[in-house]
Amino acid sequence: MRSWEKRNIIDVLKEYHTILNQASKELADSGDNKGSNDCDNDALVIENYLEIKHGLEWDGIQFIE
Protein backbone atom coordinates (compact mmCIF):
# COMPACT_ATOMS: atom_id res chain seq x y z
CA MET A 1 0.00 0.00 0.00
CA ARG A 2 1.31 3.45 -0.94
CA SER A 3 1.68 6.02 1.82
CA TRP A 4 -1.00 8.30 0.37
CA GLU A 5 -3.48 5.38 0.37
CA LYS A 6 -3.22 5.22 4.16
CA ARG A 7 -4.50 8.78 4.59
CA ASN A 8 -8.12 9.44 5.46
CA ILE A 9 -9.86 11.95 3.16
CA ILE A 10 -11.45 13.65 6.17
CA ASP A 11 -8.02 14.31 7.69
CA VAL A 12 -6.72 15.65 4.38
CA LEU A 13 -9.70 17.98 3.97
CA LYS A 14 -9.47 19.25 7.56
CA GLU A 15 -5.75 19.99 7.10
CA TYR A 16 -6.39 21.75 3.78
CA HIS A 17 -9.24 23.73 5.37
CA THR A 18 -6.81 24.98 8.04
CA ILE A 19 -4.33 26.03 5.34
CA LEU A 20 -7.06 27.83 3.39
CA ASN A 21 -8.24 29.73 6.46
CA GLN A 22 -4.71 30.91 7.24
CA ALA A 23 -4.08 31.90 3.62
CA SER A 24 -7.37 33.80 3.53
CA LYS A 25 -6.35 35.84 6.58
CA GLU A 26 -2.91 36.58 5.15
CA LEU A 27 -4.39 37.66 1.81
CA ALA A 28 -6.98 39.87 3.50
CA ASP A 29 -4.28 41.49 5.64
CA SER A 30 -2.28 42.33 2.52
CA GLY A 31 -5.34 43.81 0.78
CA ASP A 32 -6.03 40.96 -1.65
CA ASN A 33 -9.75 40.66 -1.07
CA LYS A 34 -10.39 38.56 -4.19
CA GLY A 35 -7.74 36.04 -3.18
CA SER A 36 -9.11 35.99 0.35
CA ASN A 37 -12.65 35.43 -0.93
CA ASP A 38 -11.47 32.61 -3.21
CA CYS A 39 -9.87 30.85 -0.23
CA ASP A 40 -13.01 31.40 1.84
CA ASN A 41 -15.15 29.91 -0.92
CA ASP A 42 -12.92 26.81 -1.11
CA ALA A 43 -13.11 26.46 2.68
CA LEU A 44 -16.90 26.65 2.49
CA VAL A 45 -16.94 23.84 -0.08
CA ILE A 46 -14.95 21.67 2.34
CA GLU A 47 -17.18 22.62 5.29
CA ASN A 48 -20.32 21.80 3.32
CA TYR A 49 -18.95 18.47 2.11
CA LEU A 50 -17.84 17.34 5.56
CA GLU A 51 -21.15 18.42 7.11
CA ILE A 52 -23.36 16.71 4.52
CA LYS A 53 -21.35 13.57 3.75
CA HIS A 54 -19.63 12.91 7.07
CA GLY A 55 -21.77 14.55 9.76
CA LEU A 56 -19.06 16.96 10.89
CA GLU A 57 -20.02 20.54 11.72
CA TRP A 58 -17.78 23.60 11.47
CA ASP A 59 -18.44 25.75 14.55
CA GLY A 60 -16.27 28.64 13.38
CA ILE A 61 -13.17 27.36 15.14
CA GLN A 62 -13.06 23.62 14.59
CA PHE A 63 -14.96 20.67 13.18
CA ILE A 64 -17.15 18.87 15.71
CA GLU A 65 -18.97 15.56 15.42
Side-chain angles (χ1 to χ4, degrees):
M1 180 176 278
R2 296 177 211 123
S3 63
W4 61 265
E5 290 175 315
K6 297 177 186 177
R7 302 235 19 229
N8 182 322
I9 187 65
I10 295 172
D11 294 336
V12 172
L13 289 172
K14 286 166 66 176
E15 288 171 18
Y16 188 56
H17 184 271
T18 300
I19 292 167
L20 285 170
N21 282 336
Q22 183 60 38
S24 176
K25 291 174 189 166
E26 291 173 6
L27 288 167
D29 289 345
S30 69
D32 183 353
N33 291 328
K34 182 185 179 326
S36 177
N37 289 339
D38 289 344
C39 288
D40 287 343
N41 288 340
D42 289 348
L44 287 169
V45 170
I46 292 171
E47 290 168 22
N48 186 59
Y49 173 78
L50 290 177
E51 286 177 357
I52 291 173
K53 297 292 186 181
H54 298 282
L56 298 175
E57 181 181 345
W58 176 249
D59 72 357
I61 298 172
Q62 64 184 357
F63 286 101
I64 54 175
E65 294 183 38

